[in-house]
Amino acid sequence: MKGSVAILPVLTAMLLSGCGQPVGKADLKSDPKLRAEILAACADGTHTNAQECSNAKDVENADKLERSLGHK
């Protein structure tokens, strides 16, 4: 059962990426749940698309920076 749960974020990302294109930063910014799923899969080594891992981490870091600086 755990294996099935772990693969869901990967499958979700693959379905949303379409035509082999990695999920972009705009999509990850607008969908925090997808971003969290991809980051979790990247952290545990089950996500195989390095570009999506990088995009998700970039968006996560930008979001944290924006929160720490406050909204202008």
Side-chain angles (χ1 to χ4, degrees):
M1 182 70 174
K2 268 188 168 178
S4 298
V5 174
I7 202 161
L8 283 175
V10 176
L11 291 175
T12 301
M14 286 174 28
L15 289 172
L16 292 177
S17 66
C19 299
Q21 296 294 319
V23 176
K25 291 180 182 180
D27 294 326
L28 293 167
K29 185 169 178 61
S30 67
D31 191 346
K33 183 177 177 185
L34 175 61
R35 182 174 71 229
E37 290 171 351
I38 290 174
L39 287 171
C42 293
D44 69 15
T46 59
H47 198 75
T48 59
N49 189 315
Q51 185 62 53
E52 286 181 353
C53 291
S54 178
N55 287 349
K57 190 64 178 167
D58 286 349
V59 171
E60 183 76 7
N61 288 340
D63 187 48
K64 286 179 181 178
L65 178 62
E66 185 178 322
R67 283 194 315 255
S68 72
L69 296 175
H71 297 287
K72 303 277 178 185

